[in-house]
Every structure is written in structure tokens, then in C-alpha cells.
Amino acid sequence: MKASIIDFLTKARLFNVLPGKVISELAERAEWHNFEADVVAFYQGDEADRLYVIMSGEVAIETVSSEGRVVSIASLSVGDVFGEMAVLDSGKRSANVRTLRQTGMISFGKSTFLRLLEEHSEFSMQVIRDLVKRLRDTDTQIEAITLLPLKSRLAALLLDLSRADGDSIKITQSDLAERLSATREKVNVNLQTLRALGAVSIGRGRLDILDRAALKRVATST
């Protein structure tokens, strides 16, 4: 397992700027976690003492309103890091993290992460850039929820998912609804519209993109 972690961290976006010796030491300290699909890795409000890096699979970052409504605010996949914000400000977890498929990840303790930031400036800059990107992505998602029709947001999400999964996407309509902060019924109506356009085909627990250009047109329409 150590060799696999070293190989992964050497190529991972945030960690690839670290010297080989440091990566080897990190691999020694890493804890391995394996989760089945649809499992909450930790909950909003939990104590935060570790940083996580996804080695396989995908997770959804979800918040829960005071009324108990779950809203998906982001999805993260291989190479992505989460949990660093709460570690940095010593706060509690600001969101749930739920696996969308079987997911393997490694984690590092708070002291290890803070020492990396203090001793390796380029790593610190990588972390800052990553946080800024995620903030921009969140702003874009909020703008989309506020301004764009559900059909456009659905088309954009399918195009985004296809970057990792290809044209055959394994996902349920319930998961799509959570990611889009919409009801399953409304997602189904809009999927039927995309199917009528010849943009997608719909199967049990999966969607196939048939016409990427058509999806792009819908994604940019208002």
C-alpha cells in the first residue's frame, strides 16, 4: 500500500510539488479509508482533525438546512482534497461528505498538514489556488441555481460528469436531483426533454450521452 500511495501523491495535483523524501514520509503517516457507495464519511458539525485525499471513486459535498433539506454543493473525484478548511480554522465540519460510488481515500492528521504548509511554500500556494478555485466554482453554482433554468443546469452537469465517466454515466435520478437542488420529479421531466431532443438515452441507474453538441446548446441557453 505504501508504494501505491507514494506513486499517487507524486502525481496528485497538490502534492506533486513536494520532494520525494517528504512524499515517502507522508505515505508512512497516511491512514487508508474505504467506503461503500452512499455512505456518509463524516457529518456537518463533526470535529475536524484530518485532511482527506480521494484515491478512487467520488463524493458529494452536501449541506443540511435548518428544515432538514439536503443540498449538494459540489462533487469531488480522484485527486481532490477535502476537509482542509475546517483543519485550517479549527472549526467543525461545514458539510456532509457522502460517497457517490465505492470510494478509497487517504487522510493525514492536522499537525502533518499544518507542518507541510509551514515548511513548503509551493505546497501552500497549491492549497491556496485550490481553495480559490473551489470558491469560484461555488459562486458559479450559486449563480446557476439563481439564474439558469433546470434544463440548462442539468445539461451542464451531465457534460461535467462525462469528463470523468465518458459518455456512459452511472448515476440515479435521485443523485442528479440532489446535485441540482431540485426534486426527482422535475429532473425526470427535464431528462425526458433531453431525450426527446436526442441528446441522451435513459437507463436504469445510468445515462448515455448521444449528442454532446445538443447538450452544450441546452447548457448555454437561458
Side-chain angles (χ1 to χ4, degrees):
M1 176 60 70
K2 179 183 175 181
S4 297
I5 294 174
I6 290 174
D7 182 62
F8 175 78
L9 291 177
T10 300
K11 302 171 184 175
R13 185 179 66 257
L14 296 187
F15 298 87
N16 58 12
V17 298
L18 294 170
K21 181 180 179 181
V22 174
I23 287 178
S24 181
E25 292 172 353
L26 278 177
E28 290 282 359
R29 296 173 182 168
E31 289 190 12
W32 169 254
H33 311 267
N34 187 56
F35 297 94
E36 296 299 320
D38 199 27
V39 172
V40 177
F42 56 68
Y43 289 88
Q44 185 173 334
D46 282 355
E47 296 295 330
D49 61 355
R50 302 193 73 79
L51 167 83
Y52 294 80
V53 188
I54 300 172
M55 288 186 65
S56 64
E58 186 179 14
V59 304
I61 309 299
E62 303 172 336
T63 60
V64 183
S65 70
S66 57
E67 295 81 22
R69 182 186 178 195
V70 177
V71 177
S72 180
I73 58 175
S75 61
L76 304 176
S77 56
V78 175
D80 286 328
V81 172
F82 64 90
E84 74 276 38
M85 288 187 289
V87 169
L88 284 169
D89 67 6
S90 299
K92 294 186 177 181
R93 301 296 184 191
S94 60
N96 295 351
V97 174
R98 181 175 62 86
T99 57
L100 296 173
R101 61 190 72 183
Q102 186 171 358
T103 301
M105 58 185 83
I106 53 176
S107 69
F108 305 104
K110 178 177 180 177
S111 60
T112 297
F113 178 52
L114 293 180
R115 187 164 58 252
L116 287 175
L117 293 174
E118 292 171 358
E119 296 179 357
H120 302 279
S121 60
E122 187 54 35
F123 177 77
S124 300
M125 288 303 301
Q126 293 277 70
V127 171
I128 291 170
R129 293 186 192 103
D130 194 61
L131 288 171
V132 170
K133 179 182 181 301
R134 283 163 57 182
L135 179 60
R136 290 184 186 277
D137 289 345
T138 300
D139 287 344
T140 300
Q141 183 178 15
I142 292 172
E143 181 181 4
I145 291 172
T146 305
L147 300 176
L148 294 178
L150 180 59
K151 182 174 66 175
S152 298
R153 293 192 285 123
L154 175 59
L157 175 59
L158 294 177
L159 288 170
D160 185 54
L161 291 173
S162 72
R163 293 189 181 96
D165 293 349
D167 287 343
S168 183
I169 302 168
K170 293 181 180 179
I171 193 167
T172 66
Q173 293 186 26
S174 295
D175 281 335
L176 287 172
E178 285 190 13
R179 296 193 189 202
L180 293 166
S181 301
T183 65
R184 184 186 180 282
E185 291 74 18
K186 288 184 178 179
V187 167
N188 181 264
V189 168
N190 284 275
L191 279 174
Q192 298 303 329
T193 300
L194 294 178
R195 182 169 69 173
L197 291 172
V200 301
S201 65
I202 305 171
R204 183 179 296 275
R206 64 179 287 171
L207 294 163
D208 292 302
I209 296 177
L210 304 179
D211 189 337
R212 187 173 291 271
L215 271 187
K216 289 180 179 178
R217 286 194 296 271
V218 174
T220 55
S221 65
T222 57

